[in-house]
Amino acid sequence: MTDPKVPRQRRIIDRRKLAAAVEALAEQQGEKARPAVLKVLREALEKGRDELSQRLLDRPSAGHQITAGHAFLVDQLVRVIFDHVTTHLYPVANRSSSERIAVLAVGGYGRAEMAPQSDVDIAFLHPSRRTPWCEQVTEAMLYFLWDLGFKVGQSSRTPEDMVRMAREDLTIRTALLEARFVWGDRELYDEARKRFWSEVVNGTERQFVAEKLAERDARHERMGGTRYVVEPNVKEGKGGLRDLQTLYWIGKYIHRARGAAELVDAGLLTETEYHGFRRAEGFLLAVRCHLHEITGRPEDRLTFDFQKQIAERMRFAERREKSAVERFMQYYFLQVKRVGSLTGVFLAQMDQQFARKRARTGLLAGFNAKSRMLKGYTVFGGKIAAPGDNWFRDDPVRLIEIFQLAEANGLEIDPRSMRQADRDSVLIKDQVRNDPRANAIFLDLLCGRNDPETALRWMNEAGVFGKFVPDFGRVNAQMQFNMYHHYTVDEHTIRAIGFLSKIEKGELAKEHPRSTREIHKVKSRRVAFVAALLHDIAKGRGGDHSILGAEVAEELCPRFGLDEDETDLVAWLVLQHLLMSSTAQKRDLTDPKTIEDFVAEVQSLERLRHLAILTSVDIRAVGPGTWNSWKGQLLGELYDAAHERLRLGHMKHHRSERVAAKKEAVREALGGKAALLEKHGRLLPDSYWIAEPENVISRNIVQYDVAREISEDLSIHCEFDEERGATLVTVIAADHPGLFYRIAGGIHLAGGNIIDARIHTTRNGWAIDNYLVQDPVGQPFAEERQLARIEQAIADAIANRGELVPKLAKRPLKQTRAGAFDVRPRVLFDNDASGRFTVIEVNARDRAALLNRLGRALFENQVIVQSAHITAYGERAADTFYVTDLTGAKITDESRMDTIRQALLDAASDARQAELEPA
């Protein structure tokens, strides 16, 4: 905010030399000089930008210097252009009092904070309206700036206009607040500035602050409501440059501060906090400059595509446990976290200053609201505060206690006490960490009945959380460089604890009915909260975070005060926290072996309850839209089957009993069409009856009957399935090799993503295949035209109308940024996961028509797909196939498996070869 001195200015642009060149051209060529003048101006601009680009590479974190350099470059060009226009194009020998212009820089240009592709926000100030000379000069200058390639935000006003419009419009008022004189009539600028402070600002301080904070809150909401999104907006996101600018605007509006340093003199920041302000600002400005340099446009979104490049440009090196991009992003999040802390402290100090100025009158003139005491703390206005500056120094355990009391009593932490806690968090040493009282207080906070999420977030913002639990400190602000996780590890963890608290209070009963019911049956609720805290605690350590996390749990749980049984259960939950989601999404839940293997690992109902609860909150906390009804149904099916097996010691019904029970349920579902069950039921194998729910079977039987009645060789039906949060696509056709991959290709070509596929063949040779399909953002297709498009695309694919594979290869990914990630394909065979089938799991980078290509590879290797289970984790796809050979047997020959593995790897790896292949 205070303009840093721009070093070696003439290497950026030499205004005197440039002005002399323009002067010479004007004298030599007269009215025809414009192209030549524009050429030397453009050369000067390009030379200056090249110099600043090189400086950014040489000093990649010098954000203040580079942005000030770009503002300096524009200043000099504007001055040369102004002098040229007023001297050579529209000279006036004796100007009247109305023929005066002041050129002002406003916005980011006014702050001297210009990234390489920033707009030039400029204001022309003149004494009265519609002065011909002023209009001519303004227009000529704008044309020069436009021809130089600048995107100009401009206004032309009189001081009277300025005052009137600033009173009415917050955006204009903010822009004028940081208006800076560039060139022209200085007296006119000084006069207008004096009027702005006396007629606009004076008496409107409270209104300005309220409106600015409301504007900030609305912006945060648009940007995702948290500063820890893994693709942040450097300028507009929470904790970004706009938040720092908001503090400066408020400080300047109230205290007439000319720069950030004067916020210290105003008592709003300490010297240490000011240096943190400048460090965060300089880093964020540098990141924005790199973004502009890489993209060649005014880009402020720090997306995955650019994070690696900027990490390299800013010289972040790879370490054994973290990649360069992860280290860069962790530093980024630490800076925006600092911005958040500064914001709280700043606003608290400002609020206190307002309170001192506020004078009571009338009946309340002699009344002062009294604070109350809570365990030695001061409580006033819904906030809890430390009673003195040495409060935490006298007993560092209070650094944990204040957050626990806030949670238990529904209070906020006074920002000045947050400042103290941040300052004194260094007092938390091993003696405090091992103090039984401190750990008991922390456990009470973690398992709080009101809002542990918010209190833990405050504790994290103050730096206390990471000091008290150093393992948590290691994942503080740590991003996960993938498209699946939306938040940093610490934010994901705190959100998981928040969802757990909501489930316990019954606030998410509709989305998580089993977890809501079962959490009140567990023997130790402490286990649930500690497991949520520790499930990702070992991420970023260079190994399997589940195994390493279980080791951390075995050390931390006794320290927190958990007994031996609780410790063992937490450690097991951390070790196996991905087991339930992986089994539900990647395995065939109708296969008895799947349930038997899952139950063999879980072993007890208490473990099952806790694992189901942890799985729900873990998926939910990944990010918006990650939890959906389809995942909920899969997890529910697995839970119910495992619960029955564990409760009874065996599966309640044998295969024949299950088939008979399903047939009775289908008979009831068919109602008046129950006769169809006798007509077609014997054609369907037992595996079909076990795999499909009764509502799907009843639909299939009706569809099959209609198809046979009209001798239809191909029957395709699409229907929105609200219960599963997807579209059910049923294809009935004469079974033949390659049917699966063609259907998959048709669905992909229509814009659908297959999330589950169950493939059946009747005893008379008809395929009845059921697919669950969603759109690219995880929503079902429900509109008639969408369903018709899917049906037509499948019919075309099966009939081989048009070249399917080249079309699929040209279809873009639903998320094109997946190309920013290196996902090495992997193929795993498992002959123990099922009693009847070989299970093949393929992990690869998600891409257009991946499932179609994998299905085709299996077909070409004479492999029969019995069911497919499709899971996507951001940029990574994990597709699981239950298969047999042509005789219906498992694939066990090693050389055969090697051949199939290589074919699948080729299909998963090959980016564009499909375009050259025949359909």
Side-chain angles (χ1 to χ4, degrees):
M1 319 254 183
T2 300
D3 302 346
K5 173 125 178 103
V6 179
R8 305 185 304 282
Q9 294 179 353
R10 289 184 182 176
R11 292 186 60 177
I12 299 172
I13 184 170
D14 188 332
R15 180 166 60 89
R16 291 182 180 177
K17 185 176 178 181
L18 178 62
V22 170
E23 175 85 17
L25 289 170
E27 289 180 357
Q28 292 166 11
Q29 301 182 28
E31 294 180 357
K32 298 180 180 180
R34 192 178 191 284
V37 169
L38 192 61
K39 182 173 183 289
V40 297
L41 290 173
R42 187 176 288 117
E43 288 172 351
L45 174 61
E46 291 173 357
K47 177 177 176 293
R49 283 179 168 170
D50 289 344
E51 170 67 20
L52 289 166
S53 294
Q54 187 58 51
R55 290 188 187 189
L56 183 61
L57 291 175
D58 294 341
R59 294 191 60 199
S61 296
H64 288 116
Q65 187 184 117
I66 301 302
T67 53
H70 279 283
F72 170 78
L73 173 61
V74 176
D75 279 354
Q76 307 315 307
L77 288 168
V78 167
R79 291 171 180 175
V80 170
I81 292 169
F82 180 89
D83 289 346
H84 171 62
V85 169
T86 56
T87 303
H88 302 111
L89 302 185
Y90 300 105
V92 178
N94 296 303
R95 291 181 195 167
S96 68
S97 60
S98 62
E99 292 174 324
R100 302 158 62 201
I101 289 183
V103 182
L104 316 183
V106 295
Y109 178 31
R111 289 189 307 275
E113 286 179 5
M114 292 190 73
Q117 298 296 325
S118 290
D119 297 352
V120 176
D121 294 323
I122 201 166
F124 297 95
L125 194 64
H126 43 89
S128 58
R129 297 178 189 174
R130 295 182 179 174
T131 306
W133 180 82
C134 292
E135 289 183 355
Q136 289 172 327
V137 170
T138 298
E139 184 177 319
M141 289 189 67
L142 287 173
Y143 272 109
F144 268 111
L145 292 170
W146 289 330
D147 288 344
L148 286 173
F150 288 114
K151 183 178 179 182
V152 182
Q154 58 90 20
S155 63
S156 184
R157 300 190 180 104
T158 67
E160 192 65 37
D161 293 334
M162 184 193 75
V163 169
R164 177 178 51 80
M165 297 176 75
R167 283 173 176 164
E168 297 170 354
D169 191 306
L170 180 68
T171 303
I172 293 173
R173 198 183 317 172
T174 305
L176 291 173
L177 179 66
E178 52 193 3
R180 177 172 58 84
F181 176 77
V182 177
W183 214 233
D185 194 308
R186 184 70 190 235
E187 288 184 6
L188 182 60
Y189 165 77
D190 290 339
E191 174 199 339
R193 188 150 191 80
K194 185 177 178 181
R195 288 191 64 183
F196 173 76
W197 287 107
S198 63
E199 298 177 35
V200 177
V201 174
N202 195 31
T204 63
E205 290 85 355
R206 286 184 181 283
Q207 177 199 2
F208 181 81
V209 172
E211 290 178 349
K212 269 295 158 195
L213 294 181
E215 180 184 77
R216 182 199 64 171
D217 293 343
R219 174 168 45 81
H220 287 173
E221 194 62 33
R222 289 196 309 273
M223 292 292 119
T226 175
R227 62 182 63 94
Y228 301 114
V229 290
V230 293
E231 290 187 296
N233 187 301
V234 178
K235 181 180 178 183
E236 301 287 349
K238 192 171 184 179
L241 284 166
R242 188 67 85 207
D243 279 4
L244 284 171
Q245 291 159 10
T246 299
L247 299 188
Y248 173 58
W249 292 331
I250 290 172
K252 189 168 189 178
Y253 205 89
I254 296 169
H255 292 285
R256 312 293 198 265
R258 289 168 297 177
E262 293 186 18
L263 298 178
V264 178
D265 300 331
L268 295 171
L269 296 175
T270 65
E271 279 286 349
T272 301
E273 287 161 350
Y274 164 69
H275 289 303
F277 183 112
R278 291 290 286 176
R279 184 165 54 251
E281 183 187 45
F283 176 77
L284 293 173
L285 287 172
V287 171
R288 189 168 185 240
C289 287
H290 287 291
L291 268 171
H292 284 209
E293 287 277 350
I294 290 170
T295 62
R297 63 177 186 270
E299 179 62 73
D300 296 319
R301 297 166 302 153
L302 189 52
T303 60
F304 294 123
D305 314 63
F306 308 130
Q307 289 172 8
K308 277 186 175 180
Q309 297 176 65
I310 295 177
E312 183 178 345
R313 287 172 68 100
M314 296 190 78
R315 301 175 189 169
F316 280 81
E318 187 171 342
R319 294 288 183 265
R320 185 176 61 86
E321 296 176 354
K322 284 191 181 76
S323 66
V325 66
E326 287 172 333
R327 292 185 65 241
F328 160 64
M329 289 305 297
Q330 184 167 28
Y331 189 78
Y332 174 90
F333 287 118
L334 288 172
Q335 297 310 307
V336 297
K337 178 184 173 185
R338 171 56 56 187
V339 173
S341 299
L342 287 171
T343 301
V345 167
F346 178 96
L347 295 177
Q349 291 297 117
M350 187 189 65
D351 196 44
Q352 188 179 46
Q353 291 178 1
F354 273 148
R356 284 199 296 264
K357 292 178 183 178
R358 194 182 300 127
R360 294 185 182 275
T361 59
L363 292 174
L364 298 178
F367 174 77
N368 284 307
K370 289 186 177 180
S371 61
R372 65 184 176 93
M373 301 304 292
L374 176 63
K375 292 191 175 181
Y377 294 86
T378 303
V379 177
F380 180 78
K383 292 183 173 66
I384 185 170
D389 195 53
N390 290 324
W391 182 252
F392 298 128
R393 291 170 180 165
D394 292 342
D395 181 3
V397 173
R398 291 168 175 162
L399 286 161
I400 295 93
E401 182 183 52
I402 189 172
F403 295 98
Q404 188 273 323
L405 289 173
E407 194 283 330
N409 293 277
L411 300 169
E412 294 182 27
I413 309 284
D414 185 281
R416 286 160 294 178
S417 293
M418 285 284 285
R419 172 191 267 176
Q420 281 179 246
D422 191 0
R423 180 197 68 192
D424 294 340
S425 62
V426 294
L427 301 172
I428 300 177
K429 308 290 186 184
D430 284 343
Q431 183 179 357
V432 178
R433 295 184 193 108
N434 295 320
D435 187 313
R437 183 169 68 95
N439 282 282
I441 291 170
F442 175 75
L443 198 57
D444 285 344
L445 164 59
L446 176 63
C447 305
R449 301 278 185 177
N450 290 321
D451 187 7
E453 176 184 2
T454 299
L456 288 169
R457 187 170 285 112
W458 290 337
M459 192 179 188
N460 194 36
E461 295 286 345
V464 172
F465 201 163
K467 291 289 196 306
F468 187 68
V469 186
D471 290 288
F472 187 80
R474 291 180 67 172
V475 296
N476 199 354
Q478 180 181 310
M479 77 164 290
Q480 301 167 77
F481 190 64
N482 58 56
M483 288 166 59
Y484 179 62
H485 291 91
H486 294 232
Y487 307 112
T488 55
V489 178
D490 55 332
E491 177 68 8
H492 164 77
T493 300
I494 292 171
R495 281 174 174 259
I497 293 165
F499 284 124
L500 178 58
S501 177
K502 289 182 174 70
I503 285 173
E504 185 180 43
K505 289 185 285 189
E507 295 175 7
L508 298 175
K510 183 179 179 181
E511 300 96 323
H512 304 280
R514 288 172 183 80
S515 294
T516 300
R517 183 177 65 246
E518 298 302 316
I519 196 169
H520 298 290
K521 297 179 182 178
V522 299
K523 295 174 184 176
S524 170
R525 63 186 294 275
R526 303 194 307 181
V527 165
F529 282 90
V530 175
L533 169 64
L534 301 182
H535 76 281
D536 278 348
I537 199 79
K539 281 201 166 177
R541 298 194 182 189
D544 187 323
H545 77 281
S546 299
I547 296 173
L548 297 173
E551 295 171 359
V552 172
E554 288 172 351
E555 293 178 10
L556 277 180
C557 288
R559 196 196 102 184
F560 290 159
L562 272 61
D563 62 30
E564 187 175 345
D565 289 343
E566 289 174 314
T567 298
D568 288 344
L569 181 50
V570 170
W572 181 85
L573 286 167
V574 174
L575 178 66
Q576 299 292 355
H577 72 275
L578 299 174
L579 173 66
M580 193 168 191
S581 60
S582 179
T583 302
Q585 295 179 69
K586 296 182 182 180
R587 292 292 180 260
D588 187 346
L589 300 181
T590 66
D591 190 328
K593 188 70 162 54
T594 298
I595 307 304
E596 290 298 326
D597 290 348
F598 178 71
V599 167
E601 184 60 56
V602 175
Q603 296 184 355
S604 75
L605 284 172
E606 184 72 3
R607 278 185 173 184
L608 178 65
R609 289 188 182 107
H610 276 292
L611 184 60
I613 294 164
L614 179 59
T615 301
S616 296
V617 300
D618 186 19
I619 296 174
R620 188 72 183 259
V622 164
T626 308
W627 177 271
N628 55 41
S629 55
W630 172 238
K631 287 179 183 174
Q633 181 172 326
L634 289 176
L635 291 167
E637 287 178 14
L638 177 58
Y639 181 88
D640 290 344
H643 189 275
E644 178 185 279
R645 175 70 178 78
L646 286 164
R647 184 171 59 85
L648 299 175
H650 57 83
M651 296 298 286
K652 186 176 180 180
H653 300 291
H654 294 296
R655 189 178 184 87
S656 59
E657 294 173 307
R658 293 172 68 191
V659 171
K662 188 69 70 68
K663 285 182 178 179
E664 281 305 309
V666 170
R667 188 187 311 279
E668 186 176 335
L670 284 169
K673 298 181 179 180
L676 295 179
L677 184 62
E678 304 302 328
K679 184 178 179 182
H680 303 300
R682 60 184 177 77
L683 298 174
L684 302 167
D686 286 356
S687 58
Y688 172 87
W689 290 101
I690 293 170
E692 299 291 0
E694 54 266 23
N695 61 344
V696 172
I697 295 174
S698 59
R699 295 177 198 171
N700 287 171
I701 288 177
V702 171
Q703 183 182 344
Y704 178 80
D705 182 70
V706 171
R708 301 284 22 89
E709 283 292 323
I710 61 176
S711 300
E712 190 175 45
D713 291 334
L714 175 64
S715 174
I716 304 168
H717 178 68
C718 298
E719 185 175 340
F720 167 49
D721 192 322
E722 185 176 4
E723 182 183 356
R724 295 169 180 83
T727 300
L728 176 65
V729 177
T730 300
V731 180
I732 299 177
D735 197 14
H736 62 82
L739 184 63
F740 167 71
Y741 87 79
R742 289 191 177 278
I743 294 172
I747 291 172
H748 288 317
L749 203 55
N753 292 322
I754 298 169
I755 61 173
D756 199 52
R758 289 175 179 173
I759 298 157
H760 313 280
T761 304
T762 65
R763 290 189 170 97
N764 61 344
W766 286 88
I768 300 181
D769 295 351
N770 290 310
Y771 298 83
L772 282 173
V773 178
Q774 292 177 336
D775 69 14
V777 294
Q779 297 299 313
F781 293 96
E783 297 179 15
E784 286 298 324
R785 60 181 182 81
Q786 294 175 321
L787 302 181
R789 187 171 71 240
I790 293 173
E791 291 178 7
Q792 186 61 52
I794 294 172
D796 290 346
I798 292 175
N800 201 21
R801 289 192 286 267
E803 296 186 337
L804 175 65
V805 175
K807 288 181 181 178
L808 287 168
K810 293 174 183 176
R811 185 174 182 85
L813 261 179
K814 61 181 182 293
Q815 292 168 307
T816 57
R817 289 172 293 115
F821 301 90
D822 180 22
V823 181
R824 184 172 298 178
R826 224 168 29 122
V827 177
L828 303 172
F829 282 78
D830 190 341
N831 274 308
D832 297 323
S834 172
R836 300 176 55 214
F837 307 115
T838 294
V839 178
I840 303 176
E841 183 176 330
V842 182
N843 288 273
R845 180 164 61 84
D846 201 1
R847 63 182 59 196
L850 174 65
L851 184 60
N852 167 265
R853 289 181 56 73
L854 296 176
R856 180 173 178 143
L858 292 170
F859 157 70
E860 290 173 344
N861 281 274
Q862 299 182 317
V863 175
I864 305 300
V865 178
Q866 303 294 340
S867 70
H869 308 273
I870 290 80
T871 309
Y873 301 97
E875 77 284 354
R876 183 168 60 88
D879 295 348
T880 306
F881 304 93
Y882 280 66
V883 304
T884 65
D885 63 18
L886 293 177
T887 68
K890 287 186 178 183
I891 299 168
T892 56
D893 182 73
E894 288 293 338
S895 62
R896 179 105 195 275
M897 285 194 283
D898 287 343
T899 301
I900 296 168
R901 179 183 290 108
Q902 190 57 54
L904 290 169
L905 287 172
D906 290 345
S909 305
D910 207 353
R912 289 294 176 191
Q913 186 181 341
E915 294 182 27
L916 307 176
E917 295 180 1

